[in-house]
Amino acid sequence: MAAEFDLIVIGSGPGGYVAAIRASQLGLKVAIVERESLGGICLNWGCIPTKALLKSGEKYESLSHLKDYGLSADKVGFDFDAIIQRSRGVAATMNKGVTFLMKKNRIEVIEGTAKLEKGGTAPKVVIALKAGGSRTVEAKTVMLAVGARAKAIPQIGLEADGDRIWAYREAMAPKTMPASIVVIGSGAIGIEFGSFYSALGAEVTVVEAVDRILPVEDEEVSKAARRSFEKRGMKFRTGCKVTKVSPISREGGGKGVQVAIEAGGKAETLEAEVCISAVGITANTDGIGLEALGVNMDRGHITIDGHCQTNVKGLYAIGDCAGAPWLAHKASHEGIHAAEHIAGYKTPNVHSPIAGCTYAQPQVASVGITEQGAREARLDVKIGRFPFKVNGKAVAAGDTDGFVKVIFDGKTGALIGAHLIGAEVTEMIQGFVTAIAMEATEEDIHGIVYPHPTMSEAMHEASLDAYGRVLHI
């Protein structure tokens, strides 16, 4: 059987659909296989609709501070169903956008579930079609962009049941607004859901196994984030092991959940209406034929080289299924690189600093090495900080929570890390990503003119502070 396509992409998330577009732009005949909805989990049930929820929570919370701005409003409240429907509407709009892009770029969309079998120049793709029946297609190259799903721990009862134990899907489209929630896991997903529900008035308790929240972030940022979230009413239990999650029935027919935890040799039971599981992800690499093909794996993730190639001829893998960091923008970057490599571009190995963002209130964003990471590596570093409380734009906007922290290599002057907490820092972080990618030094950043008044001036001041030149503190 002759190859029907130059490239078949399996999975249409932010890595897969972008890879398909780039390959088509380069003249390849491309098909994309999707078992559910174009755009994948990120667009339909993750990155985009969660930001719609968080924006509603942010707007509602801001109403309680109107007096600070000389404003007032009567009968302040919210329609929970309308908030959820707005979020789903945003996802639907983005889904339509991806559908349009597939048509515009002449990419054939095959709806169904794919499985790989041994083939010629690349594995054959056998698709169980949504409409019924099956279709076998061959291509010169196959790219896996199958993503990941919420991790379950059934042995302790931590498995979404659609009722009282939620994963991200249930947390994004519940039928009613819960009065109390226990969130297990304080990474970006757990903190974002906790922030949203707390903003709407739910009693939120976040449980974390290690001794601080947002454990991948710089320790200074983690501590500041906890203080800010606690001021907003969130509660935390850190250094805790979850031993059992049990749905319960209350007197009078009410439902709830109990979360048994242990910390410091002491047992405690937390109780709430629902529990949200945010303990990590599991790659969607099971059941798609990888074992039979002999694909090299590492703890459930596909092993790839610097061009996203697997050890199997003609098979590439990108995004969450190919390992950390599990971020949409990392998947898109890998997808574009892989598409160009497949098309014959002489591209260097895929490499770029990858920023992490948490869209809570306040926001958290970071890129590069943390202070403790630098110390552990015994690097000679220069560290600068600047608080938003003395930034003119932040004071005028009433957004003074947080700071900017930067880390420079003391020997070369290169920027090697940046850690931010505050309003809209997820927009500001890209400036530091660009600086690290361009190998900027302190002289480069000191010489940049930052517009005034902007919160980005704190980026400049923090960089000056690292070298004893800060102006406004």
Side-chain angles (χ1 to χ4, degrees):
M1 180 178 178
E4 192 174 346
F5 297 97
D6 295 310
L7 172 65
I8 296 173
V9 181
I10 301 175
S12 71
Y17 86 76
V18 168
I21 290 172
R22 184 63 183 131
S24 181
Q25 288 175 342
L26 295 171
L28 303 185
K29 186 180 180 182
V30 184
I32 194 164
V33 182
E34 174 54 55
R35 66 182 180 182
E36 192 171 344
S37 301
L38 285 173
I41 294 300
C42 177
L43 189 150
N44 293 283
W45 292 100
C47 316
I48 303 302
T50 55
K51 304 313 166 280
L53 294 178
L54 285 159
K55 179 57 71 172
S56 292
E58 177 189 334
K59 293 288 188 182
Y60 180 69
E61 187 177 29
S62 69
L63 295 176
S64 64
H65 301 289
L66 289 179
K67 187 177 179 180
D68 297 341
Y69 298 88
L71 305 172
S72 63
D74 296 327
K75 298 181 180 179
V76 172
F78 63 87
D79 182 333
F80 188 66
D81 287 341
I83 290 173
I84 299 301
Q85 289 307 311
R86 176 180 179 273
S87 172
R88 301 314 309 148
V90 168
T93 297
M94 299 301 292
N95 172 266
K96 290 178 183 176
V98 176
T99 301
F100 165 76
L101 289 172
M102 296 298 99
K103 292 179 180 178
K104 175 187 175 183
N105 289 280
R106 303 175 303 281
I107 297 164
E108 182 174 338
V109 177
I110 306 173
E111 296 183 334
T113 302
K115 186 172 183 178
L116 302 180
E117 295 182 355
K118 290 183 179 180
T121 58
K124 291 190 293 186
V125 182
V126 181
I127 306 163
L129 299 170
K130 266 189 183 181
S134 65
R135 176 181 174 185
T136 298
V137 289
E138 290 194 29
K140 296 176 182 177
T141 310
V142 174
M143 185 186 301
L144 292 172
V146 293
R149 60 187 183 274
K151 185 178 181 180
I153 311 177
Q155 56 267 37
I156 63 168
L158 190 57
E159 192 169 22
D161 63 5
D163 183 16
R164 285 165 280 182
I165 304 174
W166 297 349
Y168 56 84
R169 286 191 183 234
E170 293 83 5
M172 290 187 59
K175 296 176 182 177
T176 58
M177 167 70 188
S180 57
I181 302 173
V182 172
V183 180
I184 303 177
S186 73
I189 294 174
I191 289 298
E192 287 181 2
F193 278 125
S195 182
F196 166 65
Y197 282 105
S198 179
L200 295 186
E203 182 180 310
V204 175
T205 302
V206 180
V207 178
E208 172 56 53
V210 302
D211 60 358
R212 61 188 177 93
I213 68 169
L214 293 169
V216 302
E217 300 295 343
D218 186 88
E219 188 171 356
E220 201 170 344
V221 169
S222 293
K223 291 178 179 178
R226 178 167 181 165
R227 289 194 298 269
S228 294
F229 298 148
E230 287 178 335
K231 285 180 182 178
R232 287 172 162 82
M234 294 172 66
K235 299 176 183 178
F236 296 93
R237 297 284 196 279
T238 53
C240 292
K241 177 183 178 182
V242 176
T243 58
K244 187 69 175 177
V245 180
S246 309
I248 59 172
S249 296
R250 296 192 178 97
E251 292 183 14
K255 294 180 179 180
V257 64
Q258 288 182 333
V259 179
I261 61 175
E262 289 182 0
K266 296 182 179 180
E268 181 183 0
T269 299
L270 307 177
E271 189 170 315
E273 285 192 16
V274 298
C275 169
I276 297 177
S277 174
V279 294
I281 61 96
T282 298
N284 292 323
T285 54
D286 48 320
I288 58 174
L290 300 184
E291 296 83 358
L293 292 176
V295 176
N296 288 342
M297 307 289 289
D298 180 14
R299 291 169 291 182
H301 293 86
I302 300 167
T303 301
I304 57 174
D305 67 8
H307 296 298
C308 304
Q309 296 177 111
T310 73
N311 64 303
V312 173
K313 182 181 177 183
L315 182 64
Y316 287 66
I318 64 168
D320 287 0
C321 70
W326 300 287
L327 299 168
H329 42 289
K330 172 256 196 182
S332 297
H333 178 69
E334 287 183 339
I336 292 168
H337 177 94
E340 292 177 347
H341 189 258
I342 291 165
Y345 272 44
K346 302 296 182 181
T347 53
N349 284 4
V350 57
H351 174 73
S352 174
I354 304 294
C357 298
T358 302
Y359 300 83
Q361 289 184 258
Q363 295 180 2
V364 174
S366 62
V367 64
I369 198 167
T370 63
E371 180 179 353
Q372 55 269 36
R375 301 296 186 201
E376 290 169 3
R378 297 184 179 181
L379 298 178
D380 174 18
V381 295
K382 290 185 179 295
I383 298 173
R385 302 169 182 82
F386 194 81
F388 287 119
K389 66 182 179 181
V390 291
N391 171 272
K393 175 66 178 296
V395 173
D399 289 323
T400 58
D401 204 4
F403 57 86
V404 175
K405 177 178 180 178
V406 291
I407 302 173
F408 290 90
D409 186 311
K411 295 181 179 179
T412 66
L415 178 69
I416 57 176
H419 308 276
L420 293 71
I421 178 171
E424 298 304 326
V425 297
T426 58
E427 298 292 338
M428 295 166 60
I429 192 64
Q430 189 57 35
F432 285 133
V433 174
T434 301
I436 292 175
M438 300 297 291
E439 300 181 349
T441 67
E442 90 284 359
E443 290 185 355
D444 298 317
I445 297 174
H446 291 174
I448 293 172
V449 179
Y450 288 74
H452 175 77
T454 63
M455 293 185 70
S456 66
E457 288 177 277
M459 299 165 65
H460 191 212
E461 291 274 16
S463 299
L464 291 171
D465 183 56
Y467 288 82
R469 296 174 53 186
V470 66
L471 299 171
H472 286 92
I473 52 174

